[in-house]
Amino acid sequence: MMGSTAYNGWCERFVENAYGTSGKYASALAAFNALKAAGTMKYTTTNIPAGSLVFSRNDWDGGYGHVMIARGDGTFINPASTVRVSNNPAGGTTNQYRFLGWSPAPAGWPGR
């Protein structure tokens, strides 16, 4: 999917599809809140394990938030306008994004 623009604006759908599921959460922010309530959210920005869901926000995300998948080497698969590798755990290229935290994918997701 690298280089694809098919998920522009649909980051939560991208990570769910990567795990072989869909329709679990209405948005990245909804997923973040559910995982936070479940007690699985972590707040460190280093040593994020491969496959973890990494959440952030910005001022213009419409309340949906953003989510990426950690590669385990300090980089992330970022389904922004184009699916690409990002070095920033907040997902952006500048400080306009706010890192929220990370969590393992939910245990019930098939690709886990």
Side-chain angles (χ1 to χ4, degrees):
M1 293 300 301
M2 297 303 284
S4 172
T5 59
Y7 289 94
N8 185 12
W10 298 99
C11 59
E12 179 61 28
R13 181 179 295 172
F14 174 85
V15 299
E16 289 183 16
N17 289 176
Y19 274 94
T21 191
S22 65
K24 300 299 181 183
Y25 299 104
S27 69
L29 192 56
F32 168 79
N33 288 329
L35 294 169
K36 182 178 177 182
T40 63
M41 197 59 59
K42 310 292 185 215
Y43 303 98
T44 58
T45 58
T46 58
N47 299 318
I48 301 172
S52 296
L53 307 182
V54 182
F55 297 91
S56 63
R57 290 285 320 262
N58 63 42
D59 293 334
W60 59 90
D61 67 17
Y64 294 104
H66 185 61
V67 61
M68 305 180 294
I69 301 172
R71 295 175 67 191
D73 63 358
T75 65
F76 311 90
I77 302 299
N78 186 354
S81 57
T82 301
V83 178
R84 64 184 182 274
V85 175
S86 173
N87 295 319
N88 183 344
T93 56
T94 67
N95 291 332
Q96 59 201 352
Y97 291 82
R98 294 179 303 280
F99 173 79
L100 296 177
W102 63 270
S103 173
W109 286 14
R112 187 150 181 249

